[in-house]
């Protein structure tokens, strides 16, 4: 090639280098964050490793002292957020003082709707729940309890696609909060096992996608 000719791959090579650098910096930051708190082989360290493998980046939250760590990014086209927070004023002292939240963005912008197993009498933070709504679907009401201040909002959320997803066995014992443009599942303690993280991620992303789908 002539010395003065433009190399058509130059821009891509530069982009690749910067992408590698950015990924390396993100990995270093996440690792430093975990190490600074003394985590390595414990549950939080395992969660950090899983987030990195899933391409989720560490997000600094200096404005939120009760947030232990936040990771965010896109997974299979969905905007995902994983967060571990402290609960210093736990209602039930026998539960872990941390809460793991896994969320997927959705277009829903209505009032909050909580969906959790029918036999639960409290939410995952140990708070009493009131205002259970009748969905008109006996099979759904037998397995799930739906809470919200607005019955119309619950009807908007419980589309046929969402009901079908809730009927799947992998939704067992999950709590789903649909609010503020996201579908969130929360669990006491630090969720760190890869299979459980994948299960929860699949449920929230599927429900978020079902909410965005045309009503059948």
């Amino acid at each position: 090639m002539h010395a003065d000719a433009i190399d058509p791959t130059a821009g891509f090579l530069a982009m690749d280098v910067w992408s590698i650098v950015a990924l390396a910096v993100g990995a270093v930051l996440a690792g430093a964050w975990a190490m600074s708190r003394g985590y390595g082989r414990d549950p939080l360290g395992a969660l950090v490793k899983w987030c990195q493998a899933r391409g989720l980046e560490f997000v600094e939250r200096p404005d939120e002292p009760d947030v232990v760590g936040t990771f965010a990014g896109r997974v299979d086209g969905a905007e995902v957020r994983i967060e571990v927070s402290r609960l210093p004023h736990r209602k039930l002292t026998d539960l872990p003082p941390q809460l793991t939240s896994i969320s997927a963005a959705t277009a829903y912008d209505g009032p909050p709707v909580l969906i959790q197993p029918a036999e639960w009498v409290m939410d995952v933070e140990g708070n009493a729940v009131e205002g259970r709504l009748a969905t008109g679907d006996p099979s759904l009401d037998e397995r799930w309890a739906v809470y919200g201040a607005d019955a119309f909002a619950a009807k908007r959320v419980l589309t046929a696609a969402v009901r079908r997803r809730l009927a799947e066995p992998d939704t067992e014992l999950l709590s789903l909060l649909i609010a503020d443009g996201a579908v969130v599942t929360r669990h006491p303690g630090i969720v760190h096992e890869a299979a459980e993280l994948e299960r929860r991620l699949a449920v929230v992303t599927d429900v978020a996608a079902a909410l965005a789908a045309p009503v059948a």
Side-chain angles (χ1 to χ4, degrees):
M1 180 180 292
H2 193 276
D4 295 331
I6 298 175
D7 182 356
T9 65
F12 292 97
L13 291 173
M15 183 178 66
D16 289 344
V17 169
W18 284 113
S19 297
I20 293 170
V21 169
L23 289 172
V25 169
V28 170
L29 284 173
W33 165 75
M35 292 177 64
S36 70
R37 289 161 172 77
Y39 302 117
R41 297 180 180 177
D42 63 351
L44 191 53
L47 174 60
V48 171
K49 185 176 180 181
W50 180 84
C51 287
Q52 291 175 337
R54 271 304 204 161
L56 301 175
E57 298 182 356
F58 172 58
V59 179
E60 293 191 50
R61 300 288 301 281
D63 57 320
E64 296 288 349
D66 288 332
V67 173
V68 178
T70 301
F71 288 81
R74 297 189 70 83
V75 177
D76 299 331
E79 187 177 337
V80 171
R81 190 178 187 90
I82 314 291
E83 188 164 275
V84 177
S85 56
R86 299 184 187 90
L87 295 174
H89 304 295
R90 260 271 188 220
K91 296 290 179 66
L92 298 178
T93 57
D94 58 334
L95 292 177
Q98 307 95 1
L99 191 72
T100 302
S101 301
I102 302 176
S103 66
T106 184
Y108 174 78
D109 59 356
V113 176
L114 174 65
I115 304 170
Q116 63 180 35
E119 63 271 20
W120 291 11
V121 296
M122 294 178 288
D123 65 15
V124 294
E125 294 186 34
N127 301 305
V129 285
E130 299 178 350
R132 180 173 178 178
L133 302 171
T135 68
D137 183 338
S139 60
L140 181 73
D141 290 338
E142 181 179 0
R143 183 179 179 192
W144 298 102
V146 180
Y147 299 91
D150 189 331
F152 179 72
K155 185 176 181 180
R156 282 181 58 196
V157 165
L158 294 171
T159 64
V162 170
R163 291 172 190 244
R164 285 193 296 269
R165 189 61 182 89
L166 290 174
E168 295 295 328
D170 66 341
T171 60
E172 184 177 8
L173 298 180
L174 291 188
S175 170
L176 295 174
L177 176 63
I178 303 172
D180 299 325
V183 178
V184 188
T185 183
R186 303 179 300 163
H187 188 79
I190 300 173
V191 181
H192 66 282
E193 295 182 355
E196 183 62 13
L197 288 164
E198 292 291 345
R199 175 175 86 101
R200 292 172 176 272
L201 180 63
V203 172
V204 296
T205 53
D206 287 351
V207 172
L211 285 170
V215 178

